[in-house]
Every structure is written in C-alpha cells, then in structure tokens.
C-alpha cells in the first residue's frame, strides 16, 4: 500500500536542499542570471551581423532560456543518481522507506524551481535588452505547453536517471555529448523546421523540441509558418511523451535497482 | 631545480588527465565522442547562417570569420572549463584534492598539467571541425597560403593565456558548489560575446568594443584568422592594428591576466582554507 504522506514528505525533503541551496549564496544568483545571458547575446549579435529579422533574436533568447532546463535535466536529473552514488548518498536513499519516484520527483521539483529563476530572468532581460516585440497568441495554451514541456522533459530526466544509475563515467560523458547535439537537432537557436521533416520528427523524442516550437508559435504571432507542426498536435504529443517518460522512469527504476542490487553495483564508486 | 619539478608535475598531471579523459571507453567510441560534439556545435551556427543567407557563398568572408573563430573558441570552452572542473572533480568526485594540496607540488602548475590533456583532445576536435568546414562546407581556407609561423606563435601564446584564465576560475571554484558550473559557462559567455568569436566586434556597442580590446582572446582569434584567411581583417574591426602592435597588446594583456589570475587563486585558496572548503561535497 502506498503511503502518500510519506512520499509527499520525501518529495518536499528532496526538493528542499535544491531550493534552499539556490539561496545559500546570493551571489550565485548574479552569475546564474546575468552570465548565461552573455552567451545568448552573442547569438543575438550573430543574427544581427547576418541581417536577420528581429524575430530570430527572439527565437534565440527563448531557446537560450530553455537551455537552462535541458542542462538541469542532463546534469542534475539524469546524472544525479550517478553523482549520489559517487558521493555515497545513494545507499541512504535506497535504505529509506519511501518510493524512489518521490526522490526523483523532489529532485525535479527543486531543479525546476532554481532553473526557472535563471530561465525566466534570461527571457525577460533578453527581450528587454534587445527590444523584442512579443505578441502572445493564447496565454492559456502557452502555459499548457510550457508546463507539459517541463513535465515531459523532467520525466525523461527521471528515466535517464535510472539508466545512468548503473553506469560510470561513460554515461557521464554521454551527458556531455547530449548537450550541443540536442541544442542543434532540437532547434534551440533556429526553427527546427529548417532541419527537414524527418530530422525534426526524430528530434521530437526530446520534448523540448516540440515545446520550443509550440512556444515560438504562441509567443511570436505571425511566425506560425516557421512552426514544425500545428500547436494542437504538439500539445497532444507532449501529453503522450509525459505519460510515456514518467511510466518509463518507474519501470526503468525498478529494473535498474534490482539489477544493481543483484550485481552489487549500487555502491560501486569511481568506476 | 624548481623548473624540473614543475615540468615533472606538468608531465604527470597531463598523464593523469589523459587517463581520466580517455580510459572510460574503447578508442572508437572516444573518437566519436570527440567528433560529434564540436561538429554539432558548429552546425548550429552554420544553420543559423544558412537560414538567413541561404548559401556559404553569400558572404564567404563573414562565414570564414565565424567558422574559424568558433572552431578555435573550442579551446576557450574546453580548456578553460576543463582546468576549472579539475577542482570539482578532485574535490568531490575522487575526493583527492586534499592529498594534492599536501603533495610537494605547485597547485597552479598541476592545474596547467591537467589542462594539457584537454588541449590534446580539443586540438583533435578543432582539426576535425576545420576539415569538415573546408571539405564539406567549402570554407575558403587554402592550406598552402596559411601563415604557419603566425599560427603556431599565436597558438602558443593563446593557449598559455587560456590556461592562466583557467587558473583564476579554478580558484573561484574552490569556493563554489558543484552546480556552480554556471560561473564557468558565464565567463566563457563573456569571451564568446566580447571577443569577436562569431561576429565582428564592430557589431558591439562602443563600451562592448572597449571590453573586447582589453581581453587577449580578441587578439588571439584575430591572429589566427589573419594566419588562415587574411581577408577577414577587413571586417574584424582591428584593421588598423599592425601585427607588431597586436603582438604587444596580446603580450601585455596576457601578463596582466596572469598577474590577476595568480592573485585570484591565492586569495581564493586563502578563503577556502579558512572556511574549510577544500574537502567539501555539494550534492544538491
């Protein structure tokens, strides 16, 4: 029988250090907010140098803001159990009586909180500094797309987390490899449609591809022709991806935990 | 005598770094890993270019400017970040930083040694990226026309400069948590924005151009471009600077950054010892 109260406390307990951690050193807020903006500004100036319409700068800023979530999912969700194993916390999680999914959910919740600070500030400052005009088509749809993207993305991170659990540095490097290639195929800095239908379709397995595409269509009215698929279809696929990844995370976690226990790899460090 | 000790530290730190970077998988997978990342990072910029200008031939000088700048910027991103990450890796992952601290070696020299393995790997990535640009995308670089002497001298000076900046960031990393990697990313962003990596510095506001002229990476990239595609000088914003003037500016700014880096590392080291942060773990 599921003890919902215990699991809820586990969610809050795991989210707590991430939320408190983000306030522990207020100076980091400066670095987290302003410094990432510089890299994004470089892409914006690049578009200016190419003579691109200003809406492309808006695309870059939105994509740049969303990179924060992808980085968080890769390094602080997917790789986190591996990291916990390295520093010796994993065995404590496994000994505790709550569901492991609660730990992952808490990790995601805390991650979403401190990443949102960076993403939203990047977005707001970027749009203000570069004077990008926003015309939101449907605020309700935008919110739905944003949260569905996060649910699906963090669901994917939860699933990766369990897959990463058993492996060592090879997986650590895989995270590193996933960084730029996903920026590219998911169209973080240009409309994903430009990559062609089949590449964009394959890239859609990463929820941020469709999420970004839908958000661009909803934030910059009149740019729908640059969209890959109609927003309604993208919302439907995101719902499907959310369910699939969270279910997949649960199955993978059970499987990997049992395998890890059998092979004695859950406490194996520095491999 | 001290020089010999430093050289020995560099040699063994580089060996250690290489082992840590490359022993996790088979060589084929390692090569794939080393190739995919830089090429896709470059393709982002290439696609942005093609979406707007449709063809490389639309503005080959601007394309060369962007491509060469971005290819060599990998050294900044990889080596700088690599040296900085040594602190997190040794302190939290392998928990050996305290042993390194009490070993009879010079810590900044150890960091530079670890950076050398990153330089080797990044060199492979840069060569692959440039070859991809020349062979697949039609980057107008003629290897018979490259000023090799200028290229080699610029590379030595530039890599020394990147290592000195890395030492400063490693110092700051002694005081930050593992997820404080945003600082590294941000500092790399400063150079990416202000040093004319992918667009000429003339597109920056005047105060931004002043910052660009203060940072040695700007001159380093300009030297590399002049060595490979001299035509890019016409759009770089540094057309009025002769090679001699730029050499002086590069050397002066490198010395200044070296001095600043050592001060930052020394102060961060003092604070880290005082606050007991040399063996902290931060698994948020």
């Amino acid at each position: 029988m599921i003890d919902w109260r215990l699991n809820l406390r586990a969610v809050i307990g795991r989210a707590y250090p991430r939320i408190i951690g983000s306030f522990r050193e207020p100076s980091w807020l400066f670095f987290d907010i302003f410094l990432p903006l510089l890299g994004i500004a470089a892409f914006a100036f690049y578009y200016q140098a190419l003579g691109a319409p200003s809406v492309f700068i808006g695309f870059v800023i939105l994509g740049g803001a969303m990179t924060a979530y992808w980085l968080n999912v890769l390094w602080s969700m997917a790789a986190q159990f591996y990291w916990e194993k390295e520093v010796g916390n994993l065995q404590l999680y496994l000994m505790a009586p709550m569901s492991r999914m609660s730990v992952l959910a808490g990790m995601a919740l805390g991650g979403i909180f401190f990443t949102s600070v960076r993403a939203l500030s990047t977005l707001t400052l970027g749009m203000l500094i570069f004077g990008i005009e926003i015309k939101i088509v449907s605020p309700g749809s935008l919110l739905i797309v944003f949260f569905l993207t996060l649910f699906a993305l963090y669901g994917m991170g939860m699933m990766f987390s369990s897959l990463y659990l058993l492996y060592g540095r090879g997986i650590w490097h895989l995270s590193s490899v996933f960084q730029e290639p996903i920026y590219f195929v998911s169209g973080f800095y240009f409309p994903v449609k430009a990559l062609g239908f089949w590449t964009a379709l394959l890239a859609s397995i990463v929820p941020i591809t469709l999420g970004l595409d839908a958000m661009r269509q909803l934030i910059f009215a009149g740019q729908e022709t640059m969209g890959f698929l109609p927003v309604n279809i993208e919302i439907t696929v995101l719902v499907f991806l959310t369910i699939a990844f969270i279910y997949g995370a649960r199955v993978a976690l059970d499987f990997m935990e049992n395998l890890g226990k059998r092979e004695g790899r859950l406490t194996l460090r520095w491999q | 005598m001290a020089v010999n000790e430093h050289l020995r530290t560099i040699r063994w730190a580089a060996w250690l770094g290489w082992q840590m970077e490359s022993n996790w998988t088979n060589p084929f997978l390692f090569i794939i890993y080393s190739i995919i990342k830089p090429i896709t990072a470059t393709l982002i910029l290439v696609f942005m270019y093609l979406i707007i200008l449709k063809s490389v031939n639309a503005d080959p000088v601007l394309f060369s400017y962007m491509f060469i700048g971005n290819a060599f910027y990998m050294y900044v991103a990889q080596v700088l970040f690599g040296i900085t990450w040594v602190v997190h890796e040794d302190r939290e992952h392998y928990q050996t930083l305290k042993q390194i601290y009490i070993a009879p070696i010079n810590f900044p020299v150890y960091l530079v040694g670890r950076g050398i393995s990153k330089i080797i790997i990044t060199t492979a990535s840069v060569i692959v990226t440039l070859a991809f640009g020349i062979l697949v995308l039609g980057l107008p670089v003629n290897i018979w026309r490259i000023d090799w002497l200028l290229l080699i001298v610029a590379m030595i000076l530039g890599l020394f400069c990147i290592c000195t900046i890395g030492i400063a960031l490693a110092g700051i990393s002694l005081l930050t948590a593992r997820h404080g990697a945003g600082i590294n990313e941000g500092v790399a962003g400063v150079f990416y924005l202000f040093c004319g990596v992918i667009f000429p510095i003339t597109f920056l506001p005047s105060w931004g151009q002043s910052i660009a002229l203060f940072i040695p990476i700007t001159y380093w990239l300009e030297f590399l471009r002049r060595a490979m595609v001299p035509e890019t000088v016409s759009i770089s914003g540094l057309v009025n600077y002769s090679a001699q003037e730029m050499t002086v500016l590069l050397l002066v700014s490198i010395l200044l950054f070296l001095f600043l880096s050592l001060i930052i590392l020394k102060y961060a080291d003092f604070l880290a010892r005082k606050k007991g942060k040399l063996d902290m773990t931060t698994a948020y």
Side-chain angles (χ1 to χ4, degrees):
Chain A
M1 186 169 165
I2 299 171
D3 186 342
W4 289 103
R5 196 156 168 259
L6 173 71
N7 285 315
L8 185 63
R9 283 172 62 193
V11 171
I12 295 167
R14 186 61 190 91
Y16 178 82
R18 290 199 162 179
I19 293 168
I20 292 299
S22 60
F23 292 111
R24 194 170 154 191
E25 291 279 355
S27 60
W28 295 350
L29 279 176
F30 169 81
F31 293 116
D32 273 351
I33 291 170
F34 288 99
L35 292 183
L37 197 60
L38 298 171
I40 295 162
F43 280 110
F45 278 111
Y46 177 54
Y47 265 136
Q48 279 187 354
L50 294 173
S54 64
V55 71
F56 278 88
I57 297 174
F59 289 177
V60 158
I61 293 167
L62 180 63
M66 294 303 284
T67 59
Y69 291 108
W70 179 240
L71 288 174
N72 187 246
V73 162
L74 271 185
W75 295 106
S76 296
M77 280 298 298
Q80 187 67 29
F81 268 175
Y82 161 73
W83 191 266
E84 302 283 11
K85 185 169 69 171
E86 295 295 304
V87 296
N89 286 343
L90 186 63
Q91 50 207 314
L92 303 177
Y93 286 154
L94 297 180
M95 282 157 61
M98 77 291 169
S99 154
R100 252 61 84 191
M101 286 297 281
S102 315
V103 175
L104 288 171
M107 213 186 278
L109 195 68
I112 287 174
F113 175 82
F114 79 70
T115 307
S116 294
V117 173
R118 171 176 161 175
L120 289 174
S121 53
T122 301
L123 191 64
T124 312
L125 285 171
M127 294 292 184
L128 285 175
I129 291 168
F130 286 96
I132 304 302
E133 199 179 334
I134 293 174
K135 282 185 200 158
I136 297 175
V137 180
S138 160
S141 299
L142 182 61
L143 281 175
I144 289 170
V145 167
F146 176 72
F147 283 110
L148 272 178
T149 305
L150 288 193
F151 293 151
L153 195 62
Y154 278 84
M156 187 187 204
M158 288 160 87
M159 196 171 83
F160 277 0
S161 184
S162 49
L163 297 176
Y164 278 36
L165 189 60
L166 291 185
Y167 295 95
R169 272 181 293 157
I171 289 296
W172 180 261
H173 285 284
L174 194 65
S175 255
S176 177
V177 169
F178 275 158
Q179 211 167 295
E180 276 86 0
I182 297 298
Y183 287 169
F184 171 56
V185 296
S186 293
F188 273 78
Y189 300 109
F190 55 82
V192 71
K193 192 182 180 183
L195 293 172
F197 179 80
W198 292 107
T199 311
L201 191 69
L202 275 177
S204 299
I205 192 76
V206 181
I208 212 157
T209 309
L210 293 179
L212 256 177
D213 192 69
M215 278 190 267
R216 279 188 184 130
Q217 293 182 59
L218 292 166
I219 292 177
F220 303 103
Q223 303 303 322
E224 292 82 358
T225 53
M226 291 195 207
F228 168 51
L229 294 170
V231 172
N232 286 342
I233 293 178
E234 290 179 328
I235 288 176
T236 309
V237 178
L238 283 171
V239 170
F240 171 76
L241 287 176
T242 305
I243 295 166
F245 282 133
I246 291 177
Y247 178 73
R250 190 192 162 109
V251 172
L253 190 60
D254 286 345
F255 178 76
M256 292 298 169
E257 188 183 326
N258 286 332
L259 192 66
K261 281 177 180 170
R262 268 207 313 275
E263 296 184 352
R265 293 166 68 183
L266 291 177
T267 52
L268 191 65
R269 296 162 72 187
W270 302 323
Q271 56 178 320
Chain B
M1 195 68 181
V3 174
N4 280 341
E5 282 174 15
H6 290 337
L7 286 175
R8 196 175 56 190
T9 304
I10 285 181
R11 197 175 98 214
W12 287 109
W15 177 85
L16 175 67
W18 174 255
Q19 290 299 316
M20 290 164 74
E21 288 289 333
S22 62
N23 76 352
W24 53 275
T25 184
N26 67 55
F28 177 71
L29 204 60
F30 181 63
I31 290 167
I32 296 286
Y33 159 78
S34 305
I35 290 173
I36 286 179
K37 202 174 147 126
I39 289 205
T40 47
T42 305
L43 281 175
I44 293 172
L45 293 164
V46 172
F47 262 79
M48 288 166 78
Y49 178 95
L50 291 176
I51 285 170
I52 305 302
L53 296 182
K54 312 298 180 200
S55 158
V56 170
N57 293 327
D59 193 343
V61 174
L62 181 60
F63 185 78
S64 306
Y65 184 97
M66 172 278 287
F67 201 94
I68 294 171
N70 187 63
F72 283 98
Y73 178 79
M74 280 180 217
Y75 282 109
V76 181
Q78 295 297 318
V79 179
L80 192 71
F81 187 81
I83 291 177
T84 310
W85 195 250
V86 165
V87 170
H88 293 298
E89 202 167 41
D90 285 4
R91 186 184 65 199
E92 305 196 32
H93 188 180
Y94 297 108
Q95 298 171 13
T96 53
L97 189 65
K98 45 190 181 289
Q99 280 87 348
I100 287 162
Y101 250 78
I102 59 173
I105 56 172
N106 182 295
F107 188 58
V109 173
Y110 168 75
L111 290 174
V112 171
R114 289 287 298 273
I116 284 175
S117 57
K118 284 280 179 189
I119 290 173
I120 293 168
I121 294 163
T122 310
T123 300
S125 301
V126 171
I127 291 170
V128 166
T129 305
L130 287 172
F132 177 75
I134 294 167
L135 299 174
V136 180
L137 301 172
L139 180 73
V141 173
N142 182 342
I143 54 168
W144 306 113
R145 280 184 57 212
I146 292 174
D147 185 341
W148 289 101
L149 181 66
L150 181 63
L151 188 69
I152 290 167
V153 172
M155 282 304 299
I156 293 167
L157 288 175
L159 291 176
F160 178 77
C161 172
I162 291 167
C163 288
T164 60
I165 300 169
I167 287 171
L169 281 180
I172 294 169
S173 297
L174 286 171
L175 306 172
T176 63
R178 176 176 61 90
H179 69 77
I183 295 172
N184 306 334
E185 188 199 340
V187 172
V190 171
F191 297 139
Y192 202 56
L193 173 62
F194 290 111
C195 297
V197 178
I198 54 173
F199 60 89
I201 58 171
T202 46
F203 281 89
L204 291 167
S206 58
W207 57 266
Q209 292 182 39
S210 304
I211 294 173
L213 296 175
F214 174 72
I215 305 174
I217 305 290
T218 308
Y219 303 110
W220 174 58
L221 291 174
E222 178 67 5
F223 268 128
L224 297 172
R225 286 197 194 93
R226 284 189 188 189
M228 296 184 78
V229 183
E231 293 80 11
T232 53
V233 74
S234 62
I235 60 167
S236 68
L238 296 167
V239 68
N240 295 325
Y241 291 83
S242 68
Q244 288 83 355
E245 285 173 323
M246 287 214 325
T247 308
V248 172
L249 286 168
L250 181 61
L251 287 172
V252 169
S253 53
I254 284 174
L255 288 174
L256 189 66
F257 269 73
L258 176 64
F259 180 67
L260 279 174
S261 293
L262 292 176
I263 288 180
I264 290 170
L265 179 68
K266 201 167 173 60
Y267 185 61
D269 172 76
F270 167 75
L271 283 182
R273 286 171 195 252
K274 192 176 167 191
K275 294 183 176 181
K277 292 195 168 190
L278 288 177
D279 60 350
M280 74 171 174
T281 53
T282 51
Y284 293 165

